[in-house]
Amino acid sequence: MVKIVGIGGSLRTNSYTQLALQIAAQRLEAIGAEVEILDLRQLNLPFCNGDKEYPEYPDVQRLRDTVSNADGLILATPEYHGGVSGVLKNALDLMSFEQLSGKVTGLISVLGGQSNSNALNDLRLIVRWVHGWVIPEQIAIGQAYGAFSPEGKILDEKLSQRFDQFAQSLVENTRKLRGVD
Amino acid sequence: MVKIVGIGGSLRTNSYTQLALQIAAQRLEAIGAEVEILDLRQLNLPFCNGDKEYPEYPDVQRLRDTVSNADGLILATPEYHGGVSGVLKNALDLMSFEQLSGKVTGLISVLGGQSNSNALNDLRLIVRWVHGWVIPEQIAIGQAYGAFSPEGKILDEKLSQRFDQFAQSLVENTRKLRGVD
Amino acid sequence: MVKIVGIGGSLRTNSYTQLALQIAAQRLEAIGAEVEILDLRQLNLPFCNGDKEYPEYPDVQRLRDTVSNADGLILATPEYHGGVSGVLKNALDLMSFEQLSGKVTGLISVLGGQSNSNALNDLRLIVRWVHGWVIPEQIAIGQAYGAFSPEGKILDEKLSQRFDQFAQSLVENTRKLRGVD
Amino acid sequence: MVKIVGIGGSLRTNSYTQLALQIAAQRLEAIGAEVEILDLRQLNLPFCNGDKEYPEYPDVQRLRDTVSNADGLILATPEYHGGVSGVLKNALDLMSFEQLSGKVTGLISVLGGQSNSNALNDLRLIVRWVHGWVIPEQIAIGQAYGAFSPEGKILDEKLSQRFDQFAQSLVENTRKLRGVD
């Protein structure tokens, strides 16, 4: 079974990024993947100081172990100042090749303004750096305040279809690249 | 007098990034700029959660005020996983157009491996996003462990000259763009 | 007087990129700049083969001389496959630091799909590479087929204002950075 | 059998980019791939003008057909002004999703100065745009004039190993992603 870990780079209480991540997770589960979401709002992570170990922060090890055991990742970030959020980048900084190399990754970004691919571009190059794979399908949600119903459903049908294609590609290509069923 | 604030995106105890930032600061001071370094190791900053205000973290206001009062910036980052450090990006995320727009900025990156401009590219696009200026001269220090003497001097003469050109351009062009002496 | 050269990276007969470039040129002229547009559809340029000189193509020298004599540039590109057009990049490849260094540049991109800043990001890093300046204000026109009236006027008022801000910034900051009136 | 097409973005007579591409091709053939190199010095391609068809330039169709029939690509570019060469980008502009989508791609860049990943980053985002895959392994050859023996062999053993890893990854992952033997 394909195991995917989702990490969302927003700490906001009602985060559209986390919502988008949950929707992606549901679409993946619906086609047979096992998805675990690491909610950075519930992990107690330090700022990366270049150390290898953070014994006072057991959640660093939990983050690393969870990612290590996965076949693939969903990285979802709010686009802050035209880039990946510091929160998500810091979580990635706390990991290394050991955890991230070879993972198959899907990327989502969410922003208040007009949709853009800057943060997605950043993440694509970062994941490459640690020798991960990034699927071609990616999701950028602009003007996020109008993208979801009060119940958290995606309003635009074409955007919803993008989530399906994203999920399909991530599961299918993780199977191919990792040789898992 | 040109006022420049330097922010270094590394929390390591003996950080080459902070060292490079200090050297840049000295070169700027030598040609008449006033430089203040905000050492993120000594500021108590939270992770950005999208809130406007962080009343429990007075250092957020200190960061914002210091940058507000400056004409220009030096942003120095270790290149982690081929990108700007989460620590530095988070500090930028805690600020907004209000503080950052119109600032004249010089960029420095430091990495252990072969010199690269990925993190510098990230920062250039981020500073643009908040409508800041970035000078063309930029400094990427590869294989940083071999770049400095035990006393913290730059060993390579050409690299040292790059620091001079960087300082010269940052001071001169801040004067021009901001109309300060 | 501020002298600006505009180069448009599309060879289409009815090119929105060339139209956007002309509109930008008019806005610049209205506030006192002298603008010359180099229409790549009318220049006979070769593919860059790494040679310094192209004696069989006098337009290479014309391109170089015109840019040499300018204070600033407008580079306008269609976004092809999420990047700057090969046509425009080739024209830039035919020049060198000698022509491009120190120029103050404004960037415009035009695409059929949803507005994006990929090609603008590319150009920003390319101009930096040759030690040019790029103003923070940039223009990305998405869904270009619906952006202009049949007479070639910009339909959206906010987009039109962006052209004004773009022109204002390019002229004003070229004056400051180049010390011209 | 895995079919790979190599395209080199330099028109120089003694091009290090074309040399690097040939070496990559040999390494791929040695492990069972079929490689065809499209030498842009020998194709007669026009500048892309946005048209779909170029009846006066039969090599456009040849380029498209050859790429269509391949499973994967090697794109090799000289880094001109910190970006992909206009020559290579123009060749890509002459193709579309129809030819490029789903291809598995490996990237090589060559430059005179210090090794850099700007052009590789450009190409990675461009290939993504047309929904192609890019393998994590990539090759940047800096100071190219010193990288090869007079017989065209790679002098540095570590660089030579990178070519092996590149070839291995491209063949193996094309097999996995495309389901070919």
Side-chain angles (χ1 to χ4, degrees):
Chain A
M1 202 174 190
V2 167
K3 277 199 245 178
I4 303 288
V5 169
I7 307 177
S10 166
L11 302 184
R12 284 186 56 191
T13 311
N14 294 303
S15 158
Y16 295 119
T17 302
Q18 299 287 357
L19 183 53
L21 178 57
Q22 282 160 22
I23 292 169
Q26 289 159 8
R27 305 286 172 105
L28 281 150
E29 287 168 341
I31 54 172
E34 185 186 319
V35 186
E36 178 172 356
I37 289 180
L38 285 174
D39 191 331
L40 297 180
R41 295 172 295 193
Q42 281 157 30
L43 294 186
N44 182 27
L45 296 177
F47 285 107
C48 174
N49 63 8
D51 282 356
K52 289 254 161 97
E53 302 300 334
Y54 295 81
E56 293 172 41
Y57 291 90
D59 280 351
V60 173
Q61 198 55 47
R62 190 180 148 206
L63 170 72
R64 290 174 177 175
D65 289 346
T66 309
V67 171
S68 276
N69 291 326
D71 299 300
L73 296 172
I74 305 169
L75 299 179
T77 188
E79 187 166 298
Y80 287 159
H81 300 341
V84 59
S85 75
V87 165
L88 180 58
K89 184 55 167 55
N90 185 70
L92 295 171
D93 292 346
L94 290 169
M95 293 184 279
S96 68
F97 275 72
E98 210 178 324
Q99 290 87 41
L100 295 165
S101 179
K103 297 294 186 270
V104 185
T105 308
L107 304 176
I108 300 172
S109 81
V110 171
L111 71 163
Q114 206 174 8
S115 157
N116 202 291
S117 49
N118 284 24
L120 297 173
N121 294 348
D122 283 1
L123 283 173
R124 186 167 295 271
L125 300 182
I126 289 163
V127 172
R128 202 296 308 177
W129 191 269
V130 292
H131 281 224
W133 288 86
V134 190
I135 62 170
E137 293 78 11
Q138 61 187 22
I139 296 173
I141 304 177
Q143 298 162 322
Y145 49 85
F148 303 95
S149 75
E151 298 77 32
K153 295 251 162 80
I154 298 168
L155 293 172
D156 182 56
E157 182 55 29
K158 272 178 80 175
L159 180 58
S160 181
Q161 285 168 10
R162 279 182 83 90
F163 272 84
D164 284 332
Q165 291 156 357
F166 176 90
Q168 188 67 41
S169 173
L170 186 50
V171 172
E172 191 178 299
N173 290 299
T174 302
R175 280 191 183 122
K176 288 179 182 174
L177 286 166
R178 305 274 297 185
V180 287
D181 282 331
Chain B
M1 201 175 191
V2 168
K3 277 199 244 178
I4 304 288
V5 169
I7 306 177
S10 167
L11 303 184
R12 283 187 56 190
T13 311
N14 293 304
S15 157
Y16 295 119
T17 302
Q18 300 287 358
L19 183 54
L21 178 57
Q22 282 161 23
I23 292 169
Q26 289 159 8
R27 304 285 172 104
L28 280 151
E29 287 168 340
I31 55 173
E34 184 186 319
V35 186
E36 179 173 354
I37 289 179
L38 286 174
D39 191 330
L40 297 181
R41 294 172 296 191
Q42 281 157 29
L43 294 185
N44 182 26
L45 295 177
F47 285 106
C48 174
N49 63 9
D51 283 356
K52 289 255 159 95
E53 301 301 331
Y54 295 80
E56 293 172 42
Y57 291 89
D59 280 352
V60 173
Q61 199 54 48
R62 190 180 149 208
L63 171 71
R64 290 175 177 174
D65 290 346
T66 309
V67 170
S68 276
N69 291 327
D71 299 300
L73 297 172
I74 306 169
L75 299 179
T77 189
E79 187 166 297
Y80 287 159
H81 299 341
V84 59
S85 74
V87 165
L88 180 58
K89 183 55 169 54
N90 184 69
L92 295 170
D93 291 346
L94 291 168
M95 295 185 278
S96 68
F97 275 72
E98 211 177 323
Q99 289 87 42
L100 296 165
S101 181
K103 297 293 186 271
V104 186
T105 308
L107 304 177
I108 299 171
S109 80
V110 171
L111 69 163
Q114 205 173 7
S115 158
N116 202 291
S117 50
N118 284 24
L120 297 172
N121 293 349
D122 283 0
L123 283 172
R124 185 165 295 271
L125 300 181
I126 290 164
V127 172
R128 199 300 305 179
W129 191 268
V130 293
H131 281 223
W133 287 87
V134 190
I135 62 170
E137 292 79 12
Q138 62 187 20
I139 297 172
I141 304 177
Q143 298 163 320
Y145 50 85
F148 303 96
S149 74
E151 298 78 33
K153 295 249 162 83
I154 298 169
L155 292 173
D156 181 57
E157 182 55 31
K158 273 178 78 175
L159 180 57
S160 181
Q161 285 168 11
R162 278 182 82 90
F163 271 84
D164 283 332
Q165 291 156 357
F166 175 90
Q168 189 66 41
S169 173
L170 186 51
V171 171
E172 192 178 297
N173 290 300
T174 302
R175 281 192 181 119
K176 289 179 180 173
L177 286 165
R178 307 272 299 182
V180 288
D181 281 332
Chain C
M1 203 174 191
V2 168
K3 276 198 243 177
I4 304 287
V5 169
I7 306 176
S10 167
L11 301 185
R12 284 187 54 190
T13 311
N14 294 304
S15 157
Y16 295 120
T17 302
Q18 299 288 357
L19 184 52
L21 178 58
Q22 282 160 23
I23 292 169
Q26 289 159 7
R27 305 285 172 104
L28 280 150
E29 286 167 341
I31 55 173
E34 185 186 319
V35 185
E36 178 173 356
I37 289 180
L38 286 175
D39 192 329
L40 297 182
R41 295 172 294 191
Q42 282 157 29
L43 294 185
N44 182 26
L45 295 177
F47 286 106
C48 175
N49 63 9
D51 282 356
K52 289 254 160 95
E53 302 301 334
Y54 295 81
E56 293 172 42
Y57 291 90
D59 281 351
V60 172
Q61 198 55 47
R62 191 180 149 207
L63 170 71
R64 290 175 177 174
D65 289 345
T66 309
V67 170
S68 276
N69 291 326
D71 298 299
L73 298 172
I74 307 171
L75 299 179
T77 189
E79 186 167 298
Y80 287 159
H81 299 341
V84 59
S85 74
V87 166
L88 180 57
K89 183 55 167 56
N90 185 68
L92 295 170
D93 291 347
L94 290 169
M95 293 185 279
S96 68
F97 275 73
E98 212 178 322
Q99 289 88 41
L100 295 164
S101 178
K103 297 294 187 269
V104 186
T105 309
L107 304 176
I108 299 173
S109 80
V110 171
L111 70 164
Q114 206 174 6
S115 157
N116 201 291
S117 48
N118 284 24
L120 298 172
N121 294 348
D122 283 0
L123 283 172
R124 186 166 296 271
L125 300 182
I126 289 164
V127 173
R128 199 300 304 177
W129 191 269
V130 291
H131 281 225
W133 288 87
V134 190
I135 62 170
E137 292 78 11
Q138 62 188 22
I139 296 174
I141 304 177
Q143 297 162 323
Y145 49 87
F148 303 95
S149 74
E151 298 77 33
K153 295 250 162 83
I154 298 169
L155 292 172
D156 182 57
E157 183 54 32
K158 274 178 78 175
L159 180 59
S160 182
Q161 285 169 10
R162 279 183 82 89
F163 272 85
D164 284 332
Q165 291 156 359
F166 176 90
Q168 189 66 42
S169 173
L170 185 51
V171 172
E172 191 178 298
N173 290 300
T174 302
R175 281 193 183 119
K176 288 180 181 173
L177 286 166
R178 305 274 298 185
V180 287
D181 281 331
Chain D
M1 203 174 190
V2 169
K3 276 199 245 177
I4 303 288
V5 169
I7 306 176
S10 167
L11 302 184
R12 284 187 56 191
T13 311
N14 293 303
S15 158
Y16 296 120
T17 302
Q18 300 287 359
L19 184 53
L21 177 57
Q22 281 160 23
I23 292 169
Q26 290 159 5
R27 305 285 172 105
L28 280 150
E29 288 168 339
I31 55 173
E34 185 186 319
V35 186
E36 179 172 355
I37 289 179
L38 285 174
D39 191 330
L40 298 181
R41 294 171 296 191
Q42 282 158 28
L43 294 185
N44 182 26
L45 295 177
F47 285 107
C48 175
N49 63 8
D51 282 355
K52 288 255 161 95
E53 302 301 333
Y54 295 81
E56 293 173 42
Y57 291 90
D59 281 350
V60 173
Q61 199 54 47
R62 191 181 147 205
L63 171 71
R64 290 175 177 174
D65 289 345
T66 309
V67 171
S68 276
N69 291 325
D71 299 299
L73 297 172
I74 306 170
L75 300 178
T77 188
E79 186 166 298
Y80 287 160
H81 300 341
V84 59
S85 74
V87 166
L88 180 58
K89 184 55 169 54
N90 184 69
L92 295 170
D93 292 348
L94 290 169
M95 293 185 278
S96 67
F97 275 73
E98 210 177 324
Q99 290 87 42
L100 296 164
S101 180
K103 297 294 186 271
V104 185
T105 309
L107 305 175
I108 300 172
S109 80
V110 170
L111 70 163
Q114 205 173 8
S115 157
N116 201 290
S117 49
N118 284 24
L120 297 174
N121 294 348
D122 283 1
L123 283 173
R124 186 167 294 272
L125 300 181
I126 289 163
V127 172
R128 201 297 307 177
W129 190 269
V130 292
H131 280 223
W133 288 87
V134 190
I135 62 170
E137 292 77 10
Q138 62 188 19
I139 297 173
I141 304 177
Q143 296 161 324
Y145 49 87
F148 303 94
S149 74
E151 298 77 31
K153 294 250 162 82
I154 299 169
L155 292 172
D156 182 55
E157 183 56 31
K158 274 178 79 176
L159 180 58
S160 181
Q161 286 169 9
R162 280 182 82 90
F163 272 84
D164 284 332
Q165 291 156 359
F166 176 90
Q168 188 68 41
S169 173
L170 186 50
V171 172
E172 190 178 300
N173 290 299
T174 302
R175 281 191 182 122
K176 289 179 180 173
L177 286 165
R178 307 273 297 185
V180 286
D181 281 330

